[in-house]
């Protein structure tokens, strides 16, 4: 390579990149040195080849296909020890190669590139690929929120030091300047010393979308008062010594001192929720010698004041709740709950959601024909055989009683003008809220069987609505990427929570009503302060959209379930994942904690209900009752499969006495 070629190549490169000032300075330098010593570039073949590669036209679309293909082949042929870490680089390089081609106007080449390599990423990123497929012009990159966010943010990838060095050596050796530029500009490597982690190591090894980890860490430093409210009914009952479970009652005659001791331990266990496991008597009775369960001593949940004025509870309702608390069954890994299962039949694939009242007496279903139907389980139970393991809810048949009238097996509530996507009962079961594709939330009375209020505020379909634990207030989540807080007596929202980058798919209240959690299609969960409307926690780790949320009764933990079947347990105080719970192989539609917080139930589209030992999950146990070990730190204590294998579980609810109610729908009509 002679001097003239070098000068020409450098000029071409500077002109291509738009470095006008550098180009002028280069011309001046060339003229000054025209009579001086010549540039001895040709003596270095590696540098000559590098300049030659840089001088090639950057608009060549085949360069992306060729270099990505080399990286893909090399990655799949790498040693198994490092292969799983190197594979993490392929997806971000793939999406940015595609968007670079679109940004430069090579639409046909971009489509060919996308269709050639998309199959590699279908399993983990199918929903993202559907969105990316719609980016068909340079203007789309600026206008579409998903694409714009990807272009503005870096991808965080964790890998060991040796894997990172192997990757850099390969890119330099193959002169993959285009891919190397994408890696340097779009990826933030978090390199750690030592050996690579396990294949399913940390759920946060790749963060593809949403708030960057640094920004999340900054937000997660804010103070969160996660404790329970002062002077609750359980507090009063514990102080009175009346919280005694059936499992703790003596079979025979028991000394007064032992009874008082049992009550004291139960009161401590009820107060600390998920953090305390019930202990057996110190001395075995009779000939039975049962091992004592381990007692975990942790600080009790702090007490906080409500930020919202809460409604006054009627005296008769308070007495009813106290009676339920006195007769509550203490659950544990050795004492699992009874399960009452309700199955919807003849839904003709139109059931979108279901909800169960706190006592299990009422079941509601939202349908695609804009209707909301409510079943009284006491009446339905009279028709079912005593040997039937579950109640069948017929969603379509009407029972004719005479020629002049008809009586349905359900109460039909009509008012929405679009499919009903969510329904929730008030704590006292006297009201129902429903949300719909018609952008509204409606309040219904179960006593009057009539619509009372229509709440308008969202601009797009409302995916979820949830009553607060004390009623009166409720929260909604929508396709407009916002969550809103409402009160029953006002038709306008009290607060609007904006910050998610995609649909807000689910919402859940904290036990003290001072916070709400929202799960989104942007794969993040956020915790919001109700009073200020400020985001105080961002939870990053899921790899697909979040479909369900649940708060522990003591307010210390939150669980979230996603589309891939992963459940993650979060510590609200630190904002970090305590334990990912692996077991489901399809969407987790619903989550529910038992009333004292020792167990959590999850319902999935894989037609199973799983019970998780929360105390073991938070301690970091790694073995399941099925004998399988893995990266999961949750302990699967029991697995219950619904009697009908084709029945996805839509909703779960623990009653105040710790009876578990589950509702699902047959995937095929009968």
């Amino acid at each position: 390579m002679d001097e003239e070629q070098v000068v020409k190549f450098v000029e071409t490169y500077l002109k291509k990149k738009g470095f006008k000032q550098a180009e002028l300075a280069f011309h001046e330098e060339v003229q000054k040195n025209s009579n001086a010593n010549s540039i001895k570039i040709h003596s270095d073949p590696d540098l000559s080849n590098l300049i030659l590669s840089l001088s090639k036209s950057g608009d060549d679309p085949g360069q992306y296909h060729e270099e990505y293909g080399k990286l893909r082949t090399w990655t799949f042929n790498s040693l198994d020890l490092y292969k799983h870490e190197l594979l993490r680089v392929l997806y971000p390089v793939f999406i940015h190669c595609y968007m670079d081609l679109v940004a430069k106007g090579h639409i046909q080449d971009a489509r060919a590139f996308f269709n050639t390599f998309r199959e590699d990423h279908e399993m983990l990123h199918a929903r993202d690929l559907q969105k990316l497929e719609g980016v068909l012009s340079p203007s789309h990159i600026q206008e579409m929120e998903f694409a714009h966010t990807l272009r503005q943010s870096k991808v965080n990838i964790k890998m060991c030091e040796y894997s990172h060095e192997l990757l850099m050596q390969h890119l330099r050796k193959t002169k993959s300047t285009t891919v190397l530029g994408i890696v340097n500009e779009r990826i933030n490597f978090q390199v750690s010393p030592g050996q690579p982690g396990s294949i399913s190591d940390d759920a946060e090894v790749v963060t593809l979308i949403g708030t960057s980890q640094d920004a999340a860490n900054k937000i997660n430093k804010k103070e969160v008062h996660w404790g329970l409210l002062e002077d609750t009914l359980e507090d009063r009952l514990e102080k009175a010594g009346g919280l005694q479970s059936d499992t703790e009652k003596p079979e025979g005659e028991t000394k007064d001192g032992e009874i008082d001791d049992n009550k004291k331990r139960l009161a401590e266990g009820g107060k600390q929720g998920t953090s305390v496991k019930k202990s057996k008597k110190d001395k075995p009775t009779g000939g039975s010698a049962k091992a004592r369960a381990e007692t975990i001593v942790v600080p009790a949940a702090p007490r906080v004041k409500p930020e919202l004025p809460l409604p006054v509870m009627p005296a008769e309702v308070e007495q009813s709740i106290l009676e339920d608390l006195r007769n509550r069954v203490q659950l544990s890994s050795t004492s699992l709950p009874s399960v009452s299962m309700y199955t919807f039949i003849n839904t003709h694939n139109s059931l979108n959601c279901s909800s169960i009242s706190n006592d299990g007496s009422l079941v509601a279903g939202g349908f695609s024909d804009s209707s909301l139907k409510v079943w009284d389980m006491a009446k339905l139970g009279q028709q079912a055989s005593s040997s039937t393991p579950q109640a069948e809810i017929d969603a379509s048949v009407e029972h004719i009683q005479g020629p002049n009238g008809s009586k349905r097996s359900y109460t039909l509530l009509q008012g929405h003008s679009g499919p009903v996507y969510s329904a929730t009962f008030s704590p006292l079961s006297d009201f129902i809220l429903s949300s719909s594709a018609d952008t509204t939330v409606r309040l219904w009375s179960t006593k009057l069987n009539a619509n009372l209020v229509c709440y308008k505020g969202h601009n797009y379909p409302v995916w979820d609505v949830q009553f607060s634990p004390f009623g009166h207030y409720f929260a909604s989540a929508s396709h407009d990427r916002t969550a809103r807080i409402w009160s029953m007596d006002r038709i306008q929202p009290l607060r609007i929570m904006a910050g998610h980058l995609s649909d807000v798919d689910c919402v859940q209240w904290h036990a003290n009503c001072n916070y709400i959690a929202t799960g989104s299609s942007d794969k993040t969960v956020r915790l919001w302060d109700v009073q200020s409307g400020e985001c105080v926690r961002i939870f990053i780790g899921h790899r697909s959209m979040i479909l369900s949320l649940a708060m522990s009764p003591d307010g210390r933990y939150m669980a979230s379930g996603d589309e891939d079947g992963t459940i993650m347990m979060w510590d609200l105080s630190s904002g970090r994942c305590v334990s990912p719970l692996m077991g489901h192989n399809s969407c987790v539609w619903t989550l529910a904690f038992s009333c004292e917080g020792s167990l959590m139930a999850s319902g999935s589209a894989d037609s199973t209900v799983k019970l998780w030992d929360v105390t073991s999950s938070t301690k970091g146990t790694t073995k399941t009752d099925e004998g399988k070990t893995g990266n999961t730190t949750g302990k699967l204590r029991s697995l219950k499969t619904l009697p009908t294998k084709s029945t996805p579980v839509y909703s779960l609810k623990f009653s105040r006495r710790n009876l578990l109610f589950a509702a699902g729908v047959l995937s095929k009509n009968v």
Side-chain angles (χ1 to χ4, degrees):
M1 181 183 291
D2 57 25
E3 184 177 347
E4 292 183 1
Q5 285 181 309
V6 171
V7 171
K8 184 178 179 180
F9 288 149
V10 173
E11 288 177 349
T12 303
Y13 176 77
L14 294 175
K15 187 175 182 180
K16 178 187 69 176
K17 292 297 184 180
F19 300 146
K20 295 182 179 180
Q21 293 182 352
E23 185 180 358
L24 293 174
F26 180 73
H27 278 299
E28 293 177 0
E29 191 67 23
V30 169
Q31 291 175 358
K32 283 182 181 179
N33 298 329
S34 58
N35 297 324
N37 294 330
S38 60
I39 306 174
K40 303 296 182 183
I41 298 287
H42 60 278
S43 61
D44 189 346
D46 291 335
L47 185 57
S48 299
N49 292 333
L50 179 60
I51 294 176
L52 183 62
S53 64
L54 292 175
S55 67
K56 293 181 180 178
S57 174
D59 293 333
D60 180 15
Q63 202 170 346
Y64 290 90
H65 196 290
E66 179 184 354
E67 293 185 12
Y68 180 81
K70 289 180 182 178
L71 176 63
R72 177 180 178 273
T73 303
W74 174 79
T75 303
F76 280 109
N77 292 331
S78 300
L79 292 174
D80 291 340
L81 180 63
Y82 308 102
K83 181 177 178 180
H84 68 276
E85 287 196 338
L86 297 172
L87 284 172
R88 298 168 186 165
V89 181
L90 287 183
Y91 180 63
V93 172
F94 167 77
I95 58 178
H96 285 294
C97 282
Y98 173 73
M99 285 197 286
D100 277 354
L101 288 169
V102 172
K104 294 178 179 179
H106 304 299
I107 307 302
Q108 295 300 326
D109 296 290
R111 298 302 305 159
F113 176 86
F114 187 85
N115 293 329
T116 301
F117 300 111
R118 70 174 297 170
E119 187 177 353
D120 296 339
H121 313 289
E122 283 282 359
M123 182 177 295
L124 292 178
H125 309 289
R127 186 170 293 273
D128 287 351
L129 294 180
Q130 291 174 2
K131 297 178 181 179
L132 199 63
E133 198 172 12
V135 181
L136 298 174
S137 70
S139 61
H140 288 172
I141 297 178
Q142 297 298 325
E143 295 170 359
M144 294 179 63
E145 187 74 28
F146 176 79
H148 182 69
T149 302
L150 284 176
R151 296 296 273 181
Q152 295 297 319
S153 305
K154 281 193 172 185
V155 179
N156 294 323
I157 297 181
K158 293 181 180 179
M159 62 170 52
C160 74
E161 190 174 0
Y162 192 69
S163 296
H164 181 261
E165 184 62 28
L166 285 175
L167 176 65
M168 293 297 106
Q169 286 182 3
H170 166 76
L171 295 178
R172 288 193 291 265
K173 183 178 180 180
T174 57
K175 300 180 178 63
S176 301
T177 55
T178 301
V179 171
L180 186 59
I182 291 175
V183 167
N184 288 332
E185 185 179 1
R186 307 293 183 182
I187 299 178
N188 177 35
F189 289 104
Q190 298 177 354
V191 181
S192 58
Q195 293 296 316
S198 62
I199 293 179
S200 53
D201 185 14
D202 185 353
E204 300 178 10
V205 289
V206 180
T207 306
L208 293 174
I209 190 171
T211 305
S212 66
Q213 192 65 52
D214 291 339
N217 291 338
K218 185 177 181 180
I219 291 177
N220 291 349
K221 291 180 181 178
K222 297 179 181 178
E223 188 177 6
V224 171
H225 302 285
W226 54 266
L228 300 181
L229 293 179
E230 300 172 344
D231 194 30
T232 61
L233 288 179
E234 290 198 16
D235 278 346
R236 286 185 238 164
L237 194 60
E238 287 168 8
K239 291 175 182 177
L243 187 57
Q244 183 177 2
S245 69
D246 294 337
T247 59
E248 202 59 27
K249 293 177 182 177
E251 296 180 1
E253 294 183 1
T254 309
K255 295 180 180 180
D256 294 340
E258 292 179 350
I259 295 177
D260 293 340
D261 187 45
N262 291 338
K263 289 181 179 179
K264 182 178 180 181
R265 285 201 295 264
L266 274 174
E268 293 174 354
K271 187 173 183 179
Q272 296 180 9
T274 62
S275 304
V276 177
K277 188 182 291 185
K278 184 189 65 175
S279 62
K280 301 291 182 180
K281 294 179 182 178
D282 292 340
K283 298 180 180 180
T285 56
S288 61
K290 297 182 180 179
R292 289 182 298 168
E294 180 185 359
T295 302
I296 308 166
V297 180
V298 296
R303 299 294 161 173
V304 299
K305 295 182 179 180
E307 295 181 358
L308 295 174
L310 300 179
V312 178
M313 185 178 298
E316 61 274 12
V317 174
E318 184 175 321
Q319 290 300 321
S320 175
I321 295 175
L322 289 173
E323 183 64 24
D324 287 337
L325 294 178
R326 291 189 185 97
N327 292 279
R328 173 183 294 174
V329 176
Q330 286 293 114
L331 302 179
S332 68
S333 59
T334 56
S335 177
L336 300 178
S338 299
V339 183
S340 179
M341 301 185 182
Y342 307 142
T343 302
F344 289 88
I345 61 174
N346 294 324
T347 64
H348 304 289
N349 299 322
S350 65
L351 180 69
N352 296 323
C353 64
S354 64
S355 181
I356 307 171
S357 62
N358 282 332
D359 59 358
S361 61
L362 298 175
V363 177
F367 292 82
S368 295
D369 63 0
S370 309
S371 66
L372 181 68
K373 299 177 182 179
V374 183
W375 284 264
D376 188 333
M377 301 314 300
K379 297 178 181 178
L380 207 61
Q382 295 173 0
Q383 303 171 3
S385 170
S386 59
S387 61
T388 303
Q390 66 177 18
E392 291 186 348
I393 302 174
D394 196 323
S396 62
V397 177
E398 294 184 356
H399 302 288
I400 308 299
Q401 284 194 335
N404 297 327
S406 62
K407 183 179 180 181
R408 299 183 179 92
S409 60
Y410 54 83
T411 301
L412 179 64
L413 304 176
Q414 291 180 311
H416 285 292
S417 59
V420 178
Y421 290 128
S422 178
T424 178
F425 284 92
S426 64
L428 305 181
S429 303
D430 49 352
F431 298 104
I432 303 177
L433 283 169
S434 61
S435 64
S436 169
D438 62 11
T439 74
T440 67
V441 176
R442 288 181 179 266
L443 178 69
W444 311 83
S445 170
T446 57
K447 296 179 180 179
L448 302 176
N449 295 329
N451 181 223
L452 303 180
V453 187
C454 178
Y455 302 95
K456 299 179 181 180
H458 287 288
N459 302 317
Y460 290 94
V462 185
W463 301 130
D464 192 20
V465 62
Q466 292 293 328
F467 261 113
S468 76
F470 294 91
H472 188 68
Y473 300 99
F474 61 93
S476 58
S478 172
H479 177 58
D480 62 13
R481 303 197 295 272
T482 68
R484 305 184 185 220
I485 297 176
W486 313 70
S487 64
M488 291 172 58
D489 57 351
R490 296 187 182 183
I491 61 173
Q492 297 297 328
L494 304 178
R495 292 285 184 276
I496 299 178
M497 281 68 174
H500 280 293
L501 304 176
S502 189
D503 298 34
V504 183
D505 298 301
C506 52
V507 63
Q508 188 60 251
W509 286 82
H510 191 269
N512 61 23
C513 293
N514 291 339
Y515 304 94
I516 65 166
T518 55
S520 171
S521 294
D522 66 11
K523 306 173 188 175
T524 66
V525 181
R526 290 175 179 251
L527 188 72
W528 308 84
D529 188 301
V530 169
Q531 185 63 32
S532 64
E534 180 184 15
C535 179
V536 294
R537 287 289 182 275
I538 299 178
F539 305 95
I540 299 176
H542 282 283
R543 299 190 181 184
S544 60
M545 62 186 295
I546 288 87
L547 299 175
S548 54
L549 296 168
M551 292 285 184
S552 65
D554 68 348
R556 190 187 305 264
Y557 301 110
M558 177 184 67
S560 56
D562 65 21
E563 190 179 33
D564 292 339
T566 301
I567 303 170
M568 303 191 80
M569 191 80 68
W570 306 92
D571 185 337
L572 295 184
S573 60
S574 65
R576 302 194 65 83
C577 178
V578 176
S579 63
L581 308 176
M582 309 294 184
H584 289 294
N585 54 35
S586 188
C587 307
V588 179
W589 292 122
T590 178
L591 296 167
F593 279 90
S594 60
C595 294
E596 83 293 338
S598 62
L599 295 179
M600 185 184 70
S602 60
S604 170
D606 63 10
S607 304
T608 63
V609 173
K610 294 180 185 288
L611 294 175
W612 308 85
D613 185 349
V614 175
T615 55
S616 295
S617 300
T618 54
K619 284 193 299 180
T621 309
T622 59
K623 188 176 180 181
T624 68
D625 67 342
E626 295 175 344
K628 298 178 181 179
T629 58
N631 75 312
T632 172
T633 55
K635 189 171 184 180
L636 180 60
R637 281 312 211 178
S638 176
L639 170 62
K640 292 184 180 293
T641 303
L642 294 182
T644 306
K645 293 184 179 179
S646 59
T647 307
V649 182
Y650 275 21
S651 60
L652 295 169
K653 177 78 73 173
F654 276 96
S655 70
R656 295 190 186 96
R657 300 192 182 194
N658 268 337
L659 170 64
L660 177 60
F661 297 97
V665 58
L666 285 177
S667 58
K668 295 182 180 179
N669 297 328
V670 295

